[in-house]
Amino acid sequence: MTEVYLNGKFVGEVENPIDFVNQVKTERRKKKLSHNINIAYNERLDRIEVESGKGRARRPLIIVRDGKPLLTEKHIIQLEKGDLTWSDLVDQGVIEYLDANEEENALVAFTEEELTPKHTHLEIDPLVMLGLTTSLVPYGNYNQSTRLNAGSKNQKQALGFYAANYLVRMDMDVNILHEPQIPIVQSITHEISGYEKHPAGQNIVVAVMSYEGYNMEDAIILNRASIDRGLARNTYYRPAISEELRYSGGLIDEIGIPDKEVKGYKSEKDYRFLEDDGIVYPEAEVAEGDVIIGKTSPPRFLSSMDEYNIATNTRRESSFAMRHGEKGVIDFVLVTENEEGHKLVQVRIRDQRIPEVGDKFTSRHGQKGVVGLIVSPPDMPFTASGITPDLIFSPHGIPSRMTIAHLIELLGGKVGALSGRYIDGTTFNSEKEADLRRELLSLGFAENGTETMYNGQTGEKFQAKIYVGNMYYLKLKHMVANKIHSRARGPIQLLTRQPTEGRAKEGGLRLGEMEKDTFVAHGASLLLKERFDSDKIIIPVCENCGMIAVHDEYKNKSHCPLCGESVEITDVEMSYAFKLMLDELKSMGIYPKLQLKSKY
Amino acid sequence: MEELFKEYEDKIPAILLEELKSSIDKKTTKTQLKKMLEALYEEYLESMVEPGESVGIISAESIGEPSTQMTLNTFHFAGVAEMNVTMGLPRIIEILDARKNIKTPMMEVYLKEPYNKGKDIRKVAELIKETKMSDIIQEVSINILEATITVKLDRQKMKDLEVRDSSVKRAVEKQLKSGQVKIEGDEVLIKVKSKDDSLNDLYKLKEKMKSIYLKGVKGITQVLPVKRKDEFVIITAGSNLKDTFKLEFVDTERTTSNDIMEVYENLGIEAARAAIINEVYRVIESQGLNVDIRHIMLIADTMTASGSVKGITRYGVVSDKSSVLARASFETPIKHLINASLVGETDPLNSVIENVMLNQPIPVGTGLPGLITKVKK
């Protein structure tokens, strides 16, 4: 007797498990049972598991009987005419959905050719083994699987046209690509997913060659002429949000131009773009430090004494200003209320981004790289017909990564661009490379996609023939403008007096422990000391008790709070962090006594 | 001639003088030799590390940098018996921490003449391998009512391992210490003394019976004879130098273990130092990396300088540092600060880290002007 479980609960037993399972399946295909039911016979545990609950991943397959798929030519003709829909096929029992458990009992063929009488199902297309983004990689079956992974990851970071209503949205960190195009070399997924409604790249001319070493280590070289004509430009949008918060005691934030008496008032110049309501006007060209939304807040701590003290009752400045190193144009101003009914101001800032050295680009095959050089058009290599490439890609990226599809796409792109049609590069089901080559030959080009090219700087002919063609390139959201950072002097932390950390806080670049070790290894003792001088401090120390003494600037005299004025007090240089540690030890009741001695 | 050598005895290491001695011939004149010795002395001084050089950090960097590139951490022995050996970074960490129980202890047992010539080498190897009761058992059954354990012996295996009935009986009686032992044909009958023992105890006894030691060297689980040049060496999984040295056919002068602590306990601190150098060097070499042996020697020296093997851990070498701040900056700072304040410890600020913490010049390289010039007191 075989036990039967429905959604994990025991419901009964059956005599003949295989017959039972088959019967359920037939009933289901005849629509007598719900399509949502899946049944599987677990031979090892000798039990039948029936599932009808939600949350199972299921996928459609064509049912096969006696080695013949139930989906016939007739169905396809009807489908094309529109007489038949997908759900009709499911209802007719031609296609059924299997869950992971039922799949264990099935034998699924990838293609019609490999069908045997043993098979129970047929894949609708071998492409279904890939996910959505991965199936957007053309000629994916010519790539190593790791590259497909990298390629699909890169595509998710590409700039494009993410939503048609972006102009009325207030999204964080949005990029819109100017003049996006749909790829010449496509896969069927592009059609199915409506890629033409949200494209994310541009078709450009790529030459596979090196150029003065500026495309080493995956770097790429761009043609300035292409950039000037608008290649890979995008607009970057970032909102500034500020709201009037309410505090205890009936105090409230106030959006408006702050008074000069306000604590933390910046300078008149910083508020120059604000209109009377304290908000910038649209199309103002703002830069670092400019205030976008003026706001003042009530004093932070209101002790009982302060209520009678008018002098301390000043408000604080809490405006929203442009961050360090950022610039832009005010795009859109929105004044509304938030959920609690407080005034909410949202201002969208726009900034045009033109490709520059350091921006990241990629093809769809995980061949990502950073712009290493932008070359002016006369210096660019050109073909016999006078074509200059938009982008130069280094051939060293190919052998170790084995992205053959990258090369085929280039060839396909060339054929497509020359003959004015789209190339089908669907994984497992693409136009044959040999056909592309033949077509290229008939178009009057070398069959292998190479062309004679000339050095743009000297005019000399290159000895090697250069592989040039068209490819779909994507600009990725990692742009230098958002990442570049340097500092000579800048803000420090209150507690340790050491430089702040991170780009957002204009922080310093840490010379870490291992970097310190290299200085030690070189014996560069004094250089190391100088590098760590960022929190250096000179402290008077009482030689009698070894504690920190006090220097009275007014009298220009030092005294020790413990031992008085008649003791020797010496100035000692140390790091503030160490002084902090001494203070912390003291707070724990530990007496850290400094015994002074000349170092040498 | 001899006096000339004598003159330089204190200045140049003996090994260099020996080398020079062997390379000169009768034609060499006294003036020539003098010049040679002078040149040698100069060269020797040149090759010495300069005072104020941070040898420790340089060693640490020289070993640390290539260890980041180590990937594979096991090494497989080809042969009848499959053996894995910890290699790569895990092994280096194991050595430098001076672990008591290492992951894969191994010995290389060299044999005396004529045993090392390969005749009956398998048999010799089997003598080293530990044989337990479980190795010769075919089947075990428990009779709960009678409170007996019946063990069916594997005669073939016993013959291979040269285990006799009498020795089995003796071993079981001696090591189990409970009940009578009888051998009837292929079966060993163990009768427990009192019937009151619970079933649980009977099971425990059964498990204990399986691990009874019969013969060989304790702790040696596998043996593998390997040909090295013109002799045979036995590589073992498991290490027990003490008992191995008791075997008369073992060459005690060349046999080693990869267990540093065991080498130290049986062969002394100098052997342990040599073992550390060899083991670390072997790992680095096996990864195809190139580290100067002097860096490894420095590490081995610091680990063994106190007379016992100390790991580079907060319990070992680091705990010996004189500076409170240096110890506190390594691991468990609170413990060190509390203990230092309890006894009123003084930190002389003589080493690197303390001075980095205080933003003072560190006493290496340019931080030691006193080496070249007189500085004001």
Side-chain angles (χ1 to χ4, degrees):
Chain A
M1 291 294 262
T2 304
E3 293 163 345
V4 182
Y5 291 82
L6 176 63
N7 292 325
K9 278 191 188 128
F10 177 75
V11 285
E13 291 182 317
V14 290
E15 199 75 58
N16 194 333
I18 292 166
D19 282 354
F20 178 75
V21 168
N22 284 339
Q23 199 185 337
V24 170
K25 282 183 185 170
T26 339
E27 304 271 296
R28 182 182 64 194
R29 286 168 192 176
K30 281 183 185 156
K31 246 191 122 184
K32 280 182 183 161
L33 281 170
S34 163
H35 287 145
N36 294 324
I37 287 175
N38 282 107
I39 185 164
Y41 174 50
N42 189 330
E43 217 165 311
R44 194 173 56 85
L45 297 173
D46 189 29
R47 66 188 212 181
I48 292 167
E49 287 153 359
V50 188
E51 291 288 334
S52 69
K54 49 187 169 183
R56 291 166 295 137
R58 300 157 82 233
R59 60 196 208 92
L61 290 168
I62 299 166
I63 300 165
V64 171
R65 198 173 294 144
D66 306 324
K68 292 250 156 40
L70 294 188
L71 185 82
T72 55
E73 218 40 60
K74 225 163 80 191
H75 287 116
I76 291 167
I77 294 165
Q78 277 181 304
L79 275 170
E80 276 171 353
K81 273 193 206 155
D83 295 344
L84 212 58
T85 63
W86 175 267
S87 40
D88 292 334
L89 288 178
V90 180
D91 287 344
Q92 285 175 23
V94 175
I95 283 172
E96 68 179 351
Y97 285 86
L98 297 193
D99 70 352
N101 215 4
E102 191 172 335
E103 225 178 345
E104 290 297 315
N105 291 161
L107 181 62
V108 185
F110 264 124
T111 58
E112 218 173 322
E113 290 84 60
E114 68 184 47
L115 277 176
T116 63
K118 271 188 164 177
H119 282 95
T120 59
H121 293 87
L122 172 66
E123 254 350 313
I124 292 167
D125 193 288
L127 192 69
V128 296
M129 77 167 82
L130 306 175
L132 176 73
T133 24
T134 311
S135 61
L136 288 175
V137 177
Y139 292 95
N141 47 327
Y142 291 87
N143 272 348
Q144 214 187 357
S145 64
T146 51
R147 287 293 132 195
L148 285 179
N149 260 321
S152 15
K153 258 185 219 149
N154 288 339
Q155 285 199 75
K156 289 179 202 165
Q157 300 182 353
L159 305 187
F161 188 70
Y162 78 110
N165 64 344
Y166 72 95
L167 281 173
V168 293
R169 292 169 69 111
M170 275 290 179
D171 293 319
M172 208 54 200
D173 279 308
V174 162
N175 283 291
I176 298 288
L177 184 70
H178 297 186
E179 331 251 351
Q181 299 174 348
I182 50 173
I184 295 174
V185 184
Q186 298 187 335
S187 81
I188 192 164
T189 320
H190 284 91
E191 212 176 295
I192 296 167
S193 67
Y195 199 81
E196 76 275 5
K197 285 185 182 137
H198 50 88
Q202 289 167 331
N203 295 293
I204 57 172
V205 179
V206 175
V208 181
M209 60 181 286
S210 60
Y211 187 91
E212 302 278 313
Y214 280 95
N215 56 358
M216 280 194 283
E217 291 289 330
D218 283 352
I220 53 163
I221 284 159
L222 286 186
N223 188 341
R224 165 155 291 124
S226 317
I227 293 172
D228 290 346
R229 289 181 192 117
L231 172 88
R233 279 186 198 211
N234 68 290
T235 305
Y236 176 71
Y237 295 96
R238 187 209 281 285
I241 300 167
S242 199
E243 53 188 338
E244 283 187 348
L245 290 173
R246 249 162 250 267
Y247 303 92
S248 61
L251 297 162
I252 187 170
D253 285 340
E254 207 172 90
I255 291 177
I257 303 175
D259 288 333
K260 277 182 185 156
E261 294 87 63
V262 159
K263 209 163 134 196
Y265 187 79
K266 292 173 197 283
S267 76
E268 217 160 308
K269 183 183 150 249
D270 292 331
Y271 300 101
R272 70 188 184 282
F273 292 112
L274 300 189
E275 290 186 315
D276 291 343
D277 59 359
I279 308 168
V280 267
Y281 56 89
E283 298 305 317
E285 280 182 35
V286 289
E288 165 184 344
D290 290 336
V291 173
I292 289 165
I293 304 164
K295 190 168 87 174
T296 55
S297 300
R300 206 178 297 233
F301 306 107
L302 257 190
S303 65
S304 52
M305 275 301 286
D306 289 341
E307 281 177 39
Y308 309 101
N309 193 343
I310 312 149
T312 56
N313 220 350
T314 50
R315 297 176 66 82
R316 277 181 304 123
E317 139 82 19
S318 58
S319 303
F320 190 106
M322 285 296 280
R323 293 193 205 169
H324 178 75
E326 280 193 357
K327 62 165 179 66
V329 179
I330 304 304
D331 189 56
F332 184 60
V333 176
L334 178 76
V335 182
T336 54
E337 296 184 331
N338 66 7
E339 298 91 335
E340 285 110 50
H342 306 326
K343 191 177 183 185
L344 172 74
V345 179
Q346 293 185 307
V347 176
R348 193 169 59 207
I349 304 141
R350 128 171 73 87
D351 186 23
Q352 197 190 75
R353 293 283 164 84
I354 298 166
E356 58 182 318
V357 171
D359 282 356
K360 195 175 175 188
F361 286 80
T362 183
S363 77
R364 287 173 288 176
H365 312 277
Q367 288 285 9
K368 56 176 185 270
V370 144
V371 178
L373 182 72
I374 294 169
V375 180
S376 48
D379 290 339
M380 224 38 196
F382 53 91
T383 66
S385 53
I387 301 266
T388 52
D390 299 306
L391 186 146
I392 298 177
F393 172 83
S394 169
H396 296 287
I398 299 287
S400 58
R401 302 193 232 281
M402 298 183 278
T403 52
I404 306 307
H406 184 92
L407 303 174
I408 301 176
E409 191 200 328
L410 190 139
L411 194 81
K414 193 170 185 176
V415 172
L418 289 167
S419 58
R421 67 183 181 91
Y422 294 114
I423 305 292
D424 183 10
T426 308
T427 306
F428 301 115
N429 212 353
S430 47
E431 288 185 34
K432 296 275 168 296
E433 186 207 338
D435 296 343
L436 293 175
R437 281 166 172 262
R438 220 168 294 131
E439 195 173 341
L440 194 60
L441 191 65
S442 70
L443 287 162
F445 283 82
E447 172 243 27
N448 59 11
T450 61
E451 278 178 54
T452 305
M453 284 187 92
Y454 299 86
N455 186 329
Q457 289 164 316
T458 64
E460 285 168 345
K461 190 157 104 179
F462 286 124
Q463 249 182 26
K465 301 240 176 187
I466 309 292
Y467 193 52
V468 265
N470 295 60
M471 285 194 76
Y472 194 63
Y473 254 78
L474 315 160
K475 185 182 187 182
L476 300 185
K477 65 178 180 190
H478 306 283
M479 286 168 287
V480 257
N482 296 327
K483 303 197 166 177
I484 193 163
H485 176 53
S486 64
R487 147 172 179 155
R489 276 156 291 147
I492 52 162
Q493 276 162 16
L494 198 66
L495 182 70
T496 59
R497 298 208 186 163
Q498 286 173 355
T500 51
E501 200 185 319
R503 187 180 116 98
K505 281 173 273 176
E506 214 199 325
L509 298 165
R510 184 185 193 85
L511 184 99
E513 184 155 358
M514 291 175 97
E515 289 78 14
K516 173 213 80 185
D517 288 348
T518 64
F519 281 75
V520 178
H522 279 276
S525 170
L526 296 164
L527 181 62
L528 176 67
K529 183 190 164 293
E530 205 172 288
R531 279 261 23 188
F532 283 144
D533 268 354
S534 64
D535 64 339
K536 139 174 126 174
I537 186 175
I538 290 168
I539 284 175
V541 173
C542 169
E543 295 218 30
N544 186 40
C545 65
M547 294 281 258
I548 293 166
V550 178
H551 179 70
D552 190 332
E553 201 72 51
Y554 188 65
K555 291 183 197 159
N556 197 22
K557 250 200 214 160
S558 297
H559 72 274
C560 172
L562 290 172
C563 315
E565 285 187 21
S566 55
V567 284
E568 191 82 12
I569 286 168
T570 316
D571 283 345
V572 177
E573 186 189 303
M574 62 172 86
S575 60
Y576 189 82
F578 185 69
K579 188 234 153 209
L580 182 71
M581 192 178 88
L582 295 181
D583 291 343
E584 282 178 358
L585 290 175
K586 280 180 221 163
S587 74
M588 289 188 289
I590 298 172
Y591 172 20
K593 185 175 179 181
L594 298 174
Q595 293 173 351
L596 302 186
K597 189 177 85 181
S598 178
K599 186 108 192 170
Y600 302 108
Chain B
M1 289 285 200
E2 280 304 313
E3 314 90 80
L4 262 175
F5 276 111
K6 201 134 224 159
E7 201 181 303
Y8 279 91
E9 225 164 44
D10 299 337
K11 293 176 178 171
I12 303 173
I15 191 160
L16 290 177
L17 287 179
E18 281 303 318
E19 209 183 314
L20 183 66
K21 235 182 229 177
S22 63
S23 63
I24 56 170
D25 50 26
K26 277 164 197 158
K27 278 187 270 173
T28 321
T29 63
K30 219 169 182 180
T31 40
Q32 275 177 323
L33 183 67
K34 176 125 182 105
K35 267 191 182 163
M36 279 162 131
L37 278 166
E38 264 168 30
L40 181 64
Y41 182 55
E42 215 168 279
E43 190 69 21
Y44 174 62
L45 286 185
E46 278 287 303
S47 47
M48 278 211 296
V49 172
E50 278 184 37
E53 185 88 84
S54 346
V55 282
I57 287 260
I58 294 172
S59 285
E61 286 183 343
S62 304
I63 294 172
E65 192 269 334
S67 0
T68 59
Q69 297 169 32
M70 292 198 229
T71 44
L72 204 74
N73 54 24
T74 52
F75 166 65
H76 303 270
F77 255 105
V80 195
E82 176 75 10
M83 274 199 247
N84 293 332
V85 187
T86 340
M87 281 303 231
L89 203 60
R91 174 66 183 147
I92 291 213
I93 291 169
E94 200 173 76
I95 300 167
L96 298 190
D97 283 358
R99 297 252 171 90
K100 284 261 153 51
N101 295 305
I102 61 172
K103 234 177 175 176
T104 48
M106 280 177 67
M107 284 195 299
E108 268 179 34
V109 182
Y110 284 84
L111 304 172
K112 280 180 188 157
E113 296 257 5
Y115 302 98
N116 64 356
K117 287 297 169 239
K119 198 173 170 251
D120 291 336
I121 188 73
R122 288 231 137 254
K123 257 196 181 150
V124 175
E126 287 299 334
L127 282 176
I128 299 174
K129 190 178 170 183
E130 180 182 5
T131 306
K132 284 184 190 165
M133 202 63 183
S134 55
D135 294 327
I136 56 161
I137 288 174
Q138 211 169 33
E139 216 179 280
V140 186
S141 53
I142 298 176
N143 189 329
I144 305 163
L145 288 174
E146 306 267 320
T148 55
I149 301 170
T150 317
V151 181
K152 198 171 178 205
L153 295 172
D154 190 329
R155 285 288 167 197
Q156 187 57 42
K157 273 191 183 160
M158 280 178 78
K159 205 177 157 193
D160 290 347
L161 296 168
E162 290 186 14
V163 183
R164 260 178 296 252
D165 282 10
S166 53
S167 62
V168 172
K169 194 180 176 213
R170 217 178 312 123
V172 174
E173 268 173 352
K174 208 176 155 196
Q175 290 178 58
L176 220 50
K177 280 180 201 149
S178 54
Q180 298 166 294
V181 182
K182 241 196 278 173
I183 297 192
E184 287 173 359
D186 281 357
E187 285 178 348
V188 184
L189 266 163
I190 303 166
K191 194 158 190 170
V192 182
K193 269 178 198 156
S194 62
K195 279 192 180 179
D196 307 334
D197 283 353
S198 67
L199 188 62
N200 224 348
D201 291 335
L202 212 58
Y203 265 111
K204 272 184 196 160
L205 201 69
K206 184 189 119 190
E207 291 307 314
K208 201 179 161 193
M209 184 275 300
K210 276 188 187 167
S211 60
I212 285 175
Y213 163 75
L214 289 175
K215 55 179 281 208
V217 179
K218 265 188 190 171
I220 310 299
T221 52
Q222 279 183 59
V223 285
L224 181 69
V226 173
K227 192 159 188 186
R228 285 269 164 85
K229 282 174 194 151
D230 51 355
E231 66 174 333
F232 276 86
V233 177
I234 296 165
I235 292 171
T236 67
S239 178
N240 188 342
L241 281 178
K242 201 176 161 193
D243 290 351
T244 311
F245 284 174
K246 285 179 188 160
L247 299 169
E248 38 101 28
F249 52 83
V250 169
D251 184 348
T252 49
E253 278 177 28
R254 291 187 293 162
T255 297
T256 56
S257 166
N258 72 344
D259 188 336
I260 311 283
M261 294 313 282
E262 205 180 279
V263 171
Y264 164 60
E265 276 154 24
N266 291 291
L267 298 168
I269 193 72
E270 282 299 328
R273 189 191 94 101
I276 292 171
I277 296 170
N278 289 338
E279 287 296 318
V280 175
Y281 198 69
R282 204 170 68 186
V283 175
I284 287 169
E285 230 179 13
S286 73
Q287 302 278 324
L289 305 168
N290 191 21
V291 174
D292 195 296
I293 198 158
R294 280 167 284 193
H295 297 307
I296 301 162
M297 287 161 90
L298 183 71
I299 287 181
D301 283 341
T302 28
M303 285 175 71
T304 52
S306 65
S308 59
V309 178
K310 283 189 166 162
I312 319 256
T313 61
R314 70 183 118 132
Y315 309 106
V317 176
V318 179
S319 72
D320 289 346
K321 286 194 181 183
S322 63
S323 164
V324 195
L325 294 175
R327 267 179 282 136
S329 76
F330 184 67
E331 270 164 19
T332 56
I334 295 165
K335 192 182 94 189
H336 287 292
L337 290 177
I338 289 174
N339 288 339
S341 51
L342 284 177
V343 296
E345 221 172 295
T346 309
D347 191 327
L349 305 181
N350 280 337
S351 177
V352 174
I353 327 161
E354 308 95 278
N355 286 294
V356 171
M357 286 168 79
L358 268 78
N359 197 20
Q360 297 283 334
I362 51 168
V364 291
T366 54
L368 294 169
L371 289 174
I372 295 177
T373 175
K374 264 210 175 109
V375 279
K376 247 195 340 211
K377 263 274 159 197

